[in-house]
Amino acid sequence: MSLPKNFLWGASTSAYQVEGAYNEDGKGLSVQDVKTPFPGTPNFNVCSDHYHHYKEDVKLFSELGLKAYRFSIAWTRILPDGDGEVNPKGVEFYSNLIDECLKYGIEPIVTMYHFDLPYELDKVGGWTNPRTMDAFVKFAKILFENYGSRVKYWLTINEQNMMILYGPVIGTTKPGQEGLLYQSNHYMLLAQAKVFKLCHEMVPNAKIGPAPNISVNYPHTSKPEDNLATLYVNAVRNWLYLDIAVWGKYNPVAMDYITKKGFKIDITEEDMQILREGKPDFIAFNYYNTATIEAYSEKEAATQGDQQIALGDPGFFKGVANEFLPFTDFGWQIDPLGFRTTLMEIYSRYHLPLLITENGLGAYDKVEEDGSINDDYRIEYLKQHITELKRAVETGVDVMGYCPWSAIDLISTHQGFLKRYGFIYVNRDNEDLKDLKRLKKKSFFWYNNLIKENAESL
Ligand code: BG6
């Protein structure tokens, strides 16, 4: 079974994790710039300094053989305070980045918003305030005006579901906003639906989709209670977001959870009309692993997680380790077959083309004396996942492309530069910026070859 010739072999980054230059050329501050980093991890001021190295980096991406590069636009470069004056220098940076990609025949895939809400909007309530929804639509309009003729693939919001479920860990939910969590979610969904519609009106040849983090999860045992708990997890984590994006309908199981948890959402008939009118052309999603779920008595205490270690919600569900799956060095389980299952399940539900916008292995990489980085573990991880992707395609799933995380090393949301994902090594660590030199890892050469042969060997 062959993948289509125009398959979008890509790789991904996000602005706040890779660019640095956090206050240069008129950029405003985002919530990521002002948050307190996790102990031992650096702030986001320099990152991989992609802002100053973008030409060198895109040249390396072309040597890697990328057909697509998925990056995000820092809202605060374009609109420093979120919804006021446009910053021409910010507009120019992404214009240059897009041109640089096109020069090498690399298709830009643009995420509009990847965790970096403008701090000025955050100060007035962030997504709890409908003003942020209007600001996002204004921001999107500026992007379509400036880049619409050159960018064919757009993604609205990265991992909205993870921002809602793990907001404090990601740095996107402030204390005191918890009660308004699903009201914020509703405003984000409305903003997204409006932007889907705007995209189709302003750039009819472009395609647009959401970019949540989706995985279809397992009941820990065949106990009916575990199965029911898993139904809730899948609804609250996955289908809530995709049912609205695609059908403009709130998932009833997720709604039951929201109501029982005591969250209030103000939803009008006009809102529902907006949600129905905004339609995506494809579904993009990030996949790292699955979760395994047990029923959770209300008497037990809540447990913590991160975007890939399932949290527990007393009365509903609890994530437990899956005894059949190995772990990464950072405690995430590895489940390539779960990737195939997830692709098949999403496609069966929605019948829309799928684009994988993140998948990859965070690991400790070591530079040898001769400058080589032998990340065979990453190659193995990617090989297993791409093999399962091909099997999903074989069963009839329409997959447009695969963009692993990440094109180049960048700051991980939890472990800074200790945990690396890139095909390209950036010579710095958590404490020392060093020379930020770029080095090709073994996985770079492997991926380059895989793209050339369109993964026929897998
Ligand atoms: C995804 C995010 O959740 O996971 C990325 O979209 C993030 O921004 C990636 O970097 C990997 O997570 P982490 O915590 O290892 O950086």
Side-chain angles (χ1 to χ4, degrees), residues 168-383:
V169 184
I170 297 173
T172 48
T173 308
K174 287 204 304 202
Q177 292 180 343
E178 294 84 359
L180 291 169
L181 203 56
Y182 283 91
Q183 183 65 56
S184 306
N185 192 43
H186 185 64
Y187 289 142
M188 271 193 247
L189 293 168
L190 283 171
Q192 170 169 270
K194 288 179 185 194
V195 169
F196 285 161
K197 194 170 173 212
L198 191 67
C199 178
H200 294 134
E201 285 163 5
M202 290 182 68
V203 272
N205 293 329
K207 295 191 186 308
I208 190 162
N213 178 319
I214 304 292
S215 62
V216 176
N217 303 299
Y218 309 115
H220 188 208
T221 70
S222 52
K223 248 199 294 182
E225 288 80 1
D226 287 354
N227 197 39
L228 182 65
T230 311
L231 179 85
Y232 272 95
V233 166
N234 286 329
V236 169
R237 189 190 191 284
N238 302 327
W239 315 135
L240 166 59
Y241 298 88
L242 292 180
D243 286 5
I244 294 202
V246 180
W247 299 325
K249 288 182 186 167
Y250 263 99
N251 179 285
V253 179
M255 218 26 167
D256 180 60
Y257 165 86
I258 292 169
T259 314
K260 286 191 176 136
K261 292 286 291 181
F263 292 110
K264 299 264 176 297
I265 322 180
D266 179 21
I267 305 175
T268 65
E269 187 35 50
E270 196 193 337
D271 292 349
M272 293 313 297
Q273 183 62 28
I274 292 169
L275 293 172
R276 281 191 295 270
E277 282 176 3
K279 299 236 177 272
D281 302 294
F282 61 90
I283 293 172
F285 72 101
N286 301 345
Y287 173 90
Y288 289 89
N289 64 19
T290 47
T292 302
I293 304 299
E294 273 183 358
Y296 202 5
S297 119
E298 270 179 58
K299 294 187 198 93
E300 292 179 75
T303 53
Q304 293 297 314
D306 66 19
Q307 64 284 41
Q308 296 310 141
I309 301 178
L311 80 177
D313 206 325
F316 289 94
F317 41 75
K318 174 162 77 173
V320 294
N322 186 325
E323 66 217 274
F324 302 106
L325 301 175
F327 287 88
T328 71
D329 289 343
F330 293 88
W332 292 7
Q333 293 206 278
I334 302 176
D335 187 6
L337 188 53
F339 184 37
R340 181 177 8 151
T341 314
T342 299
L343 283 157
M344 290 168 75
E345 181 73 24
I346 302 176
Y347 193 64
S348 307
R349 285 178 71 100
Y350 303 106
H351 297 247
L352 281 177
L354 305 181
L355 174 67
I356 291 86
T357 37
E358 284 183 39
N359 173 234
L361 179 71
Y364 299 101
D365 289 336
K366 182 166 171 269
V367 185
E368 305 294 345
E369 294 276 304
D370 63 358
S372 63
I373 298 125
N374 298 309
D375 56 342
D376 296 276
Y377 36 86
R378 181 166 293 111
I379 294 171
E380 194 47 38
Y381 178 102
L382 295 171
K383 206 188 263 178

Side-chain angles (χ1 to χ4, degrees), residues 94-106:
Y94 294 107
S95 183
N96 292 341
L97 177 61
I98 290 165
D99 284 346
E100 205 62 21
C101 290
L102 295 174
K103 182 171 114 188
Y104 292 106
I106 299 173

Side-chain angles (χ1 to χ4, degrees), residues 24-58:
E24 280 182 48
D25 292 338
K27 180 180 172 296
L29 296 177
S30 81
V31 292
Q32 300 298 339
D33 298 316
V34 300
K35 83 176 184 193
T36 309
F38 287 101
T41 68
N43 59 32
F44 296 89
N45 296 2
V46 179
C47 301
S48 306
D49 202 28
H50 177 66
Y51 189 78
H52 297 114
H53 289 250
Y54 79 91
K55 285 195 177 177
E56 177 189 348
D57 292 346
V58 175

Side-chain angles (χ1 to χ4, degrees), residues 56 69 77 103 117 122 134 142 148 151 155 173 183 191 196 198 229 249 251 268 301 329 341 399 424 447 453 457:
E56 177 189 348
Y69 172 42
R77 278 199 204 285
K103 182 171 114 188
L117 186 72
D122 185 59
D134 299 334
I142 297 165
V151 174
L155 310 166
T173 308
Q183 183 65 56
F196 285 161
L198 191 67
K249 288 182 186 167
N251 179 285
T268 65
D329 289 343
T341 314
V399 185
I424 299 165
Y447 194 45
E453 49 115 354
S457 61

